[in-house]
């Protein structure tokens, strides 16, 4: 497992427990129920670490590519929104000498 996810089985187990605790506290995470939380974590970590295609992961885990796509989307935070095109770059303040 470590070679595909970068996590040992024990670390995956602890991650599952932490996420379940968050869910019990009211945090919503919409991973596909057909895969379950543990497999969703493993698929997402494999995708991020090994850059496998979604189709390859779908074959490997006997599911569809759209299910893999939904899993990865549910388990990863959204990307920050880039500024609109043509916007001035953010300014940085530099100290001025008196």
């Amino acid at each position: 497992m470590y070679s595909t996810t970068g996590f040992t089985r024990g670390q995956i187990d602890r991650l599952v427990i932490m996420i379940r605790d968050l869910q019990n506290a009211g945090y919503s995470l919409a991973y596909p129920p057909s895969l379950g939380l543990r497999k969703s974590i493993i698929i997402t970590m494999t995708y991020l670490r090994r850059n496998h295609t979604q189709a390859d992961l779908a074959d490997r885990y006997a599911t569809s590519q759209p299910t893999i796509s939904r899993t990865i989307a549910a388990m990863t935070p959204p990307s920050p929104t880039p500024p609109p095109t043509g916007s001035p770059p953010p300014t940085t303040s530099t100290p001025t000498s008196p």
Side-chain angles (χ1 to χ4, degrees):
M1 171 136 354
Y2 182 82
S3 64
T4 56
T5 65
F7 286 78
T8 64
R9 286 186 192 278
Q11 289 171 321
I12 296 283
D13 291 341
R14 285 192 295 276
L15 193 53
V16 167
I17 291 167
M18 289 184 340
I19 292 173
R20 285 204 178 122
D21 287 346
L22 286 172
Q23 288 177 310
N24 291 336
Y27 183 80
S28 176
L29 186 62
Y31 55 87
S34 63
L35 294 175
L37 179 57
R38 181 181 181 76
K39 199 176 283 189
S40 293
I41 291 169
I42 292 168
I43 288 169
T44 302
M45 297 307 296
T46 302
Y47 177 79
L48 294 171
R49 182 174 169 93
R50 293 290 176 190
N51 203 26
H52 288 292
T53 65
Q54 293 178 7
D56 177 45
L57 290 168
D59 286 342
R60 187 174 297 190
Y61 289 95
T63 190
S64 67
Q65 180 275 324
T67 298
I68 296 294
S69 179
R70 285 191 302 275
T71 300
I72 293 165
M75 302 300 288
T76 56
S79 299
T81 307
T85 316
S87 302
T91 58
T92 56
S93 59
T94 54
T96 55
S97 306

